[in-house]
Amino acid sequence: MDAQYRPEIIEPEAQQHWQERQAYRVSEDDSKPKYYCLSMFPYPSGKLHMGHVRNYTIGDVLARYYRMRGYNVLQPMGWDAFGLPAENAALANNVAPASWTYANIDYMRGQLKRLGLAIDWSRELATCSPDYYRWEQWLFTRLFEKGVIYKKMATVNWDPVDHTVLANEQVIDGRGWRSGALVEKRDIPMYFFRITDYAEELLGGLDHLPGWPERVKTMQRNWIGKSYGVEVHFPLGPVHQAGDPVLKVFTTRADTLFGVTFMAVAAEHPLARQAASHNAELAAFIAECKQGSTAEADLATMEKKGMDTGLKVYHPFTNEPLPVFVANYVLMGYGEGALMAVPAHDERDFAFARKYGLPIQVVIRPEEAGEGPISLPFLEPGILVDSGDFTGRGSADAQDKIALVLKNLGLGERRTTYRLRDWGISRQRYWGCPIPIIHCPTCGDVPVPERDLPVLLPEDVRLEVGSPLKRMPEWSRCPCPKCGGEAQRETDTMDTFVESSWYYARYACPGLETGMLDGRANHWLPVDQYIGGIEHAILHLLYARFFHKLMRDEGLVDSDEPFANLLTQGMVVAETYYRDLRDGKKLWLNPADVEVERDARGQTVAARLLADGQPVVIGGVEKMSKSKNNGVDPQTLIDRYGADTARLFTMFAAPPELSLEWSDAGVEGAHRFLKRLWKAVYEHVQTGRVSAFSGGELSDELKALRRQLHQTIAKVGDDIERRKQFNTAIAAIMELMNALTRMESDEAHARAVKQEVLEAVVLLLAPMVPHICRALLKALRPGACLVGADWPRVDESALARDEIELMLQVNGRLRGKFRVAADAGKEAVERAALASPELKRHLDGKPVRKVVVVPGRLVNVVAGDTA
RNA sequence: GCGCGGGUGGUGGAACGGGUAGACACACCGGACUUAAAAUCCGGAACCUUCGGGUGUACGGGUUCGAUUCCCGUCCCGCGCACCA
């Protein structure tokens, strides 16, 4: 064994060994329990970033841990390879998106291998490969025929200069990112998945996912947004008969119906169009509403504007005429595209009524308020006032009664709605999976027959603004599969979320050429542990759950949910540094090029650029990003310290769910620990071979060390398996190593215990830092191999104690400590506490009123005059 | 704007079901070794203090024998918002 820790030698050696032995290749094996450990696959952006290192290390720790626990572990890897960045790179560098993507995949695969992940590479997939996307097209055609996919108009961001559709990301402050033109809303036909048909199941299913974080389930519940309410019809004429036209709205607050003072409709609403046809001012306002992006955050924060259409609708109960406004915050295709406004009891309506001088009618009062004034808007439920026959009823009761009366009048009924909208998957982009539809002038939209799949995406293209597919008639022109007449292929591609909605299942079926999935999918699914960023809490995770149910209903899988347990990791952040430039912009400097200065207490006081020694401004900690130039390249880290240091640092610096702050010094610390570990093993084996302790009478010191060892084994297992908190597991191992260092005896028993501790430490750390542990295990136990090694066992007898220390509190404040026998009863503990010398001092002559004994923890003596 | 999280020493964080606040590590300070430096090893430390103790987990309140932990309110930061992935 080398006296020095040399990661640059032992890491490639270990990786080569694992590769040659195909140590992590797995197949279905019913003799062992299966464990499918999956990390969200990367987008091949060019090179690995620290977020990837964190994500894949967490996955690898779990995969390796469960392997040591005797599970048949599947850990696959692949590439989410379609998407916008490839098109951007193509435009910027004049390369085809395909070759850019494949080159990135090759480079990043090498980086992943250098991390030493226990991955079964024989299952690797890339979503841009026809072998993959053909099955997505196949499923699309089946779902289209089933009616799960349908076509309708939808609103997109339109760049009027570049004549292209823009992604929300490409709209900056309401302008196109390249042209700078004010973005407009435009309606185009798109294909939609009927995810709303599954809303109820997607909602209910969350109750059967105990392995998901509560906050992710809450976010999904709110996103689906089930609400119970009433559809109310407002007649368009003062005299209404069944079948006459009405304005339909949905409300969750039917109890406020008598407080309606106006109506608001979307700019695209038929009533608005109708009114605008003979009102130029209104037409201009509607045109103005068409400006701006479609992103909900933009719509919600923009100034609320409206204009009276001059039209009136009539209150279903009072027949009172109500003005109809066009408002820019009401969205078509969102509910009915119209709402009833109750300014007294809704925040947005209140602001709007104030702005346009519309009446505010209070119809709900708090139960306890009496006659006094209330502050508006009053949003809580309460008691109805000024509400005709319903006055005096409570809100909930009134909602029921109002719905009933509306139903009898034929002017509405109870309805359950969802906030969730159908999933539009058409993208007017090139680098994506072609939508397998042929448009025939006679037959309409015809799905591409199975024998003609896949619809291949041409890869050898030149990119300009807009999709090249739309300029390739030789590609889009084709015969209609039904009538044989001349037809056109759909040139839109699918949302890349479609590919990432089923890759986890395809990993189970590598090489399958005759279908999307086979029986192997049911062997491995559901995924036992899914790991990825919290930013995917809603969209990706909801789409994947939905897709799983679609595949289930097609008979492709037999489970209901794809991911049994979910771990959402936090972001990787780093300090930012900049200098102000003359033009008012900032020059962002990479942390690797900056040196910080600290005062005598260790507080940062200044920072300087290494290159010129001149000061720079410290900009605060932010998510690693290109724009702030605060990304730290994991490759540099791995080259300098090795993969194990990179892995140990990312696992130790923060618990997985919190954000992780990059720290050069923290990396050094992790590296130092590995060097100390290496040295401890080296010095131990230098003094000759010894077997691990297996029994005999030990000194108190050695007993205590063994107790700590077995406590640590129990804690590390619990931290990894139940708590998924690796930082505390590593801290416990560090404490154990510190205790071992303090133990200096070298008599036979001591050396045997030392051997036991070191063997166990190496195995406990193996999931986190596998390369060094492989080398150290071989040194400690020649001939032993980490692949196939078992997780250490807890020796219960080593945990026993004779005496324990308890805390003594007086009135909730810590005043002393005392020792009692480990098996002392409550009364004995109380007696010991009352006899302790600290108590008398702190009682200060006051009588003891109460004694609280918390077994194994503390005794709290409550003293003082009875008040 | 709406939804969801978070806020603890100089720093990252620990405290697992309401029971010792600050484990472990980084940074800092001191010491040993060295001609010197680096590396390594050992030690110190939340803050204030009249050395009795007092104060401390963003801020203000509440529940409790006891609150970082539970409840209410406020402020700040982060994530998501349906075409970034």
Side-chain angles (χ1 to χ4, degrees), chain A residues 61-79:
Chain A
V61 170
L62 291 168
R64 288 178 181 275
Y65 170 79
Y66 276 95
R67 178 174 286 272
M68 291 175 82
R69 285 244 113 137
Y71 287 76
N72 188 34
V73 175
L74 167 58
Q75 186 177 225
M77 185 54 71
W79 308 96

Side-chain angles (χ1 to χ4, degrees), chain A residues 21-181:
Chain A
R21 283 198 45 182
Q22 300 203 353
Y24 303 110
R25 191 160 178 169
V26 281
S27 55
E28 300 71 38
D29 176 358
D30 288 321
S31 71
K32 285 196 245 173
K34 67 97 183 175
Y35 187 81
Y36 183 178
C37 182
L38 180 67
S39 293
M40 290 183 187
F41 62 168
Y43 177 79
S45 54
K47 55 186 184 182
L48 244 43
H49 55 67
M50 289 301 305
H52 292 132
V53 173
R54 189 180 198 192
N55 197 156
Y56 303 138
T57 304
I58 293 169
D60 202 45
V61 170
L62 291 168
R64 288 178 181 275
Y65 170 79
Y66 276 95
R67 178 174 286 272
M68 291 175 82
R69 285 244 113 137
Y71 287 76
N72 188 34
V73 175
L74 167 58
Q75 186 177 225
M77 185 54 71
W79 308 96
D80 187 15
F82 277 137
L84 205 48
E87 296 190 21
N88 295 341
L91 280 170
N93 309 323
N94 200 26
V95 288
S99 50
W100 181 83
T101 303
Y102 288 123
N104 288 348
I105 288 174
D106 283 342
Y107 183 72
M108 290 172 75
R109 184 192 301 110
Q111 288 192 300
L112 286 176
K113 289 194 170 173
R114 186 63 192 82
L115 269 177
L117 307 173
I119 283 170
D120 179 353
W121 283 102
S122 71
R123 295 165 185 265
E124 181 182 352
L125 62 82
T127 57
C128 62
S129 148
D131 299 339
Y132 183 82
Y133 68 68
R134 68 175 297 182
W135 299 111
E136 189 166 306
Q137 294 176 334
W138 170 81
L139 186 66
F140 183 101
T141 59
R142 307 219 7 152
L143 296 172
F144 183 80
E145 275 160 0
K146 231 176 161 182
V148 174
I149 294 172
Y150 65 99
K151 189 153 95 172
K152 71 168 179 182
M153 299 298 280
T155 314
V156 293
N157 302 307
W158 179 256
D159 186 319
V161 171
D162 277 351
H163 299 285
T164 80
V165 175
L166 298 176
N168 282 336
E169 192 193 46
Q170 298 172 313
V171 180
I172 296 150
D173 296 330
R175 290 172 184 277
W177 67 322
R178 289 171 70 90
S179 68

Side-chain angles (χ1 to χ4, degrees), chain A residues 3-20:
Chain A
Q4 300 299 313
Y5 169 45
R6 292 188 199 278
E8 69 281 9
I9 292 168
I10 62 163
E11 291 189 355
E13 202 176 273
Q15 286 161 17
Q16 199 187 339
H17 175 77
W18 296 330
Q19 179 146 355
E20 278 165 9

Side-chain angles (χ1 to χ4, degrees), chain A residues 88 156 170 173 214 225 234 265 290 338 347 350 420 428 447 455 496 500 566 595 620 628 695 739 771 778 811-812:
Chain A
N88 295 341
V156 293
Q170 298 172 313
D173 296 330
E214 211 48 58
F234 289 76
V265 299
K290 288 235 158 198
E347 210 133 9
F350 183 77
L420 182 69
Q428 298 70 45
V455 177
T496 58
S500 56
L566 174 69
E595 174 187 58
K628 296 284 166 70
H771 309 89
K778 276 171 41 180
N811 290 337

